[in-house]
Amino acid sequence: MTADHANPRRRLALVIEHLDPLAGGAERNVVELADHFTRRGDAVTILTAGCPADLTLPGIAIDSAELGRPKNSGRLLRFTRWAAARLASGDFDASLSATMSVPATIVQPLAGTMRETLQRNIALRDHLPARLLKQTTAALRPKYRTLLALERRTATSPAVFRFAAISRYVAEQLQRHYDVPAERIEVTPAAVEVPDVDDATRAADRQLIRSSFDIADDPVVYLFAAFNARLKGIVPLMHAMQRLKQRDLPALLLVAGPLSHHWHDLAVRLGVRDRVRFVGTTQEMDRLYHAVDVAAVPSYYDSAGRIIVEALLRGIPAISTRYAGASDMIRRADGRLAGRVLDDPADVDALAQAMAELADPAERVRCAAAAEGLAAEVSMQRHMDQLDAMLVAAVAQKKKPTD
């Protein structure tokens, strides 16, 4: 079914601060949601502060405040007032906001909460003076103060019917920082789907990629992929590689993401440059997974953890931390582990031990078995069904007083 704009199932607004599908992350997720709601018969309008002038999305309306990216507090406030007025106009039956800056029928904070983000950014600083400086500057910056005030307003707004948390970690943030009642939160795991690939293609990709990066057959290859490498734990991961080298474990690390001389220099200083391959930004992630044995992303903060989930769906065990939403997927409901979850991303010894344990082929087989059934849990079908059910309930409650 697709939307009949003359007689749609619902008139639905999706809210995001900026819209550019090529930027990835939350912006791409909102476009995917809009597309799936449209296929289900909704007339969808995306409300945004700004987007590329030539952006068009088939069957989806884009209503831009033409403010560009809300990089400062003034522009952010103008956007939130504009979005609130549009939502109050009566043009929509229901709404979904991807940001804690704007309350809507359903709020799905794809990046988690700003309060947790700031705390975890402070935690990744190596020394106390650096942490204190970050804490002070964050408290003084007008945009951070505005974001926190808007976040608190949304968390306590009676206009919000439900919070759709993409992980238990995000649900925990809402409860811990803002006392949002558990009954107002529903965990709706972020949808992740991977293509089906036959064994022959996997084997061919593995051989080609390993030979391209001069990797022999025997090393255990760990994959790290991130745009914000420091936040996702590249520093402790490099130190853990040093520990593995000291233990004479044949291990190698593939690093995908924007190239930086900082990480090259760190690998040199630690004496592990020969055990690290820098891939750079790549459009070949689907094939890159076929060359690795373990995904290792010891995040200081990640509301979801797509790389981890994509690895698990391919039968690749993963290492992450309790500060990543993907830890939900590693620790299975039945108690089995599809990898390892660390309590502290800065604990290099624990990280090195987890990597060493997953160097065992038999352990990797056990982890792959533990991930069976995950595809159904993170399917787009299930994600959309959960959001749909919340919207249906919200619209029904809204109509009750006039029935």
Side-chain angles (χ1 to χ4, degrees):
M1 179 170 60
T2 57
D4 175 1
H5 287 275
N7 187 27
R9 182 178 65 150
R10 282 182 308 234
R11 297 164 301 156
L12 184 62
L14 303 186
V15 185
I16 188 167
E17 290 168 358
H18 190 267
L19 183 68
D20 182 357
L22 297 180
E27 299 181 44
R28 184 182 63 201
N29 286 347
V30 166
V31 172
E32 290 175 353
L33 287 180
D35 178 58
H36 281 274
F37 276 121
T38 299
R39 293 184 195 181
R40 291 185 174 214
D42 293 315
V44 176
T45 299
I46 299 178
L47 306 180
T48 183
C51 63
D54 60 349
L55 178 62
T56 58
L57 301 173
I60 300 165
I62 301 174
D63 192 351
S64 172
E66 298 185 355
L67 295 169
R69 284 193 180 274
K71 294 181 178 179
N72 57 53
S73 57
R75 193 176 294 178
L76 177 61
L77 285 171
R78 288 199 296 275
F79 166 63
T80 58
R81 291 173 187 140
W82 174 86
R86 288 292 289 113
L87 293 177
S89 67
D91 293 342
F92 307 106
D93 299 310
S95 55
L96 186 151
S97 178
T99 169
M100 286 290 287
S101 296
V102 180
T105 310
I106 305 296
V107 174
Q108 186 180 47
L110 295 174
T113 65
M114 176 54 62
R115 186 167 295 281
E116 184 77 4
T117 301
L118 288 173
Q119 287 185 2
R120 299 309 305 154
N121 268 277
I122 291 167
L124 69 81
R125 268 57 188 179
D126 296 332
H127 307 291
L128 179 60
R131 290 195 291 271
L132 292 174
L133 178 61
K134 178 65 177 179
Q135 186 173 6
T136 301
T137 55
L140 293 176
R141 282 191 63 181
K143 184 174 181 181
Y144 287 155
R145 294 172 65 182
T146 300
L147 282 167
L148 290 171
L150 292 172
E151 184 168 275
R152 178 168 292 281
R153 181 193 68 175
T154 296
T156 57
S157 172
V160 179
F161 177 73
R162 288 289 185 276
F163 291 89
I166 60 173
S167 63
R168 284 198 296 269
Y169 179 35
V170 173
E172 178 188 298
Q173 293 175 40
L174 292 166
Q175 293 176 292
R176 177 161 36 92
H177 294 308
Y178 297 110
D179 296 320
V180 177
E183 60 270 19
R184 294 187 66 205
I185 304 171
E186 184 170 336
V187 177
T188 56
V192 179
E193 297 180 333
V194 301
D196 289 328
V197 179
D198 59 73
D199 291 342
T201 300
R202 287 174 184 266
D205 285 346
R206 184 180 182 89
Q207 182 178 12
L208 174 64
I209 292 170
R210 285 197 170 211
S211 63
S212 298
F213 287 101
D214 192 25
I215 303 171
D217 292 334
D218 55 328
V220 179
V221 178
Y222 301 86
L223 173 67
F224 173 88
F227 279 98
N228 187 339
R230 182 179 290 276
L231 187 65
K232 299 304 171 64
I234 193 170
V235 174
L237 187 57
M238 289 283 196
H239 282 272
M241 286 299 297
Q242 183 187 52
R243 300 284 203 281
L244 296 185
K245 185 173 183 177
Q246 292 167 350
R247 294 165 65 167
D248 291 324
L249 184 75
L252 193 140
L253 176 65
L254 276 182
V255 177
L259 294 172
S260 170
H261 65 87
H262 295 296
W263 315 132
H264 174 276
D265 292 349
L266 177 61
V268 171
R269 289 199 305 273
L270 294 175
V272 295
R273 182 62 188 87
D274 60 321
R275 294 188 171 219
V276 180
R277 302 290 187 271
F278 292 98
V279 179
T281 302
T282 177
Q283 299 297 318
E284 299 290 340
M285 279 301 300
D286 284 335
R287 301 180 68 193
L288 202 61
Y289 286 110
H290 301 157
V292 306
D293 303 295
V294 180
V297 189
S299 299
Y300 283 84
Y301 180 73
D302 193 339
S303 60
R306 188 181 182 94
I307 295 297
I308 294 300
V309 181
E310 287 185 348
L312 296 176
L313 289 172
R314 291 173 166 87
I316 302 168
I319 300 169
S320 194
T321 75
R322 67 187 181 97
Y323 299 107
S327 61
D328 293 0
M329 312 303 171
I330 297 174
R331 288 182 178 136
R332 309 298 290 141
D334 60 7
R336 292 183 300 167
L337 288 173
R340 298 292 186 271
V341 177
L342 308 177
D343 287 331
D344 181 1
D347 189 341
V348 174
D349 289 334
L351 175 57
Q353 180 59 32
M355 294 171 75
E357 290 172 3
L358 293 181
D360 177 6
E363 181 59 22
R364 294 202 299 273
V365 169
R366 283 191 288 271
C367 288
E372 291 177 1
L374 178 60
E377 297 175 31
V378 297
S379 70
M380 180 59 80
Q381 176 74 34
R382 180 180 180 185
H383 187 73
M384 292 301 301
D385 287 348
Q386 287 184 288
L387 293 177
D388 241 340
M390 282 187 275
L391 288 167
V392 168
V395 171
Q397 185 183 78
K398 185 178 177 181
K399 289 181 178 178
K400 266 185 180 179
T402 57
D403 285 349

